[in-house]
């Protein structure tokens, strides 16, 4: 996506993050990139070299509609915008 996408955390998420990470986290600004995976699924490694705690515990191929169904409400507008930009490249 050729521009920054942002969202604000709802108050309950801000409070949770304050306890987990310290500070007052307002939200996020993100840049999104579309990549094509040409490897084999067994090559996907969420653990990396195990020197850090992984951000994600599992992965799954999903359609944009499935992603929107599962997304938390405050992130849905960003995901919709990403899919609007990326959809012409997914055909």
């Amino acid at each position: 996506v050729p521009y920054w996408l942002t969202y604000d955390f709802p108050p309950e998420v801000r409070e949770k993050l304050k306890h987990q990470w310290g500070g007052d986290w307002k939200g996020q600004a993100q840049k999104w990139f579309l990549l094509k995976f040409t490897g084999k699924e067994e090559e996907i490694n969420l653990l990396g070299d195990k020197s850090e705690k992984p951000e994600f515990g599992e992965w799954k191929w999903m359609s944009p509609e499935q992603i929107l169904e599962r997304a938390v409400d405050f992130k849905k507008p960003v995901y919709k915008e990403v899919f609007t930009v990326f959809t012409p490249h997914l055909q």
Side-chain angles (χ1 to χ4, degrees):
V1 177
Y3 44 86
W4 288 94
L5 298 172
T6 63
Y7 59 83
D8 291 336
F9 293 126
E12 65 276 7
V13 174
R14 287 180 76 172
E15 192 61 34
K16 180 180 175 182
L17 294 175
K18 188 184 293 187
H19 292 291
Q20 284 183 328
W21 297 341
D24 189 16
W25 297 83
K26 182 179 185 319
Q28 287 192 330
Q30 302 174 331
K31 269 290 186 146
W32 285 72
F33 299 87
L34 179 63
L35 305 169
K36 181 177 181 177
F37 179 68
T38 61
K40 298 175 183 163
E41 290 189 16
E42 55 269 12
E43 295 176 290
I44 297 173
N45 175 7
L46 299 181
L47 299 176
D49 65 3
K50 298 182 182 159
S51 63
E52 297 182 18
K53 182 179 177 190
E55 182 174 357
F56 300 101
E58 59 185 54
W59 69 274
K60 179 180 182 178
W61 297 116
M62 289 191 276
S63 69
E65 296 78 21
Q66 290 171 311
I67 293 169
L68 286 173
E69 287 173 11
R70 290 168 175 80
V72 294
D73 287 340
F74 67 91
K75 292 184 181 182
K76 284 183 182 186
V78 166
Y79 290 173
K80 287 178 183 176
E81 181 68 15
V82 168
F83 295 138
T84 298
V85 174
F86 286 172
T87 294
H89 305 286
L90 299 174
Q91 306 306 323

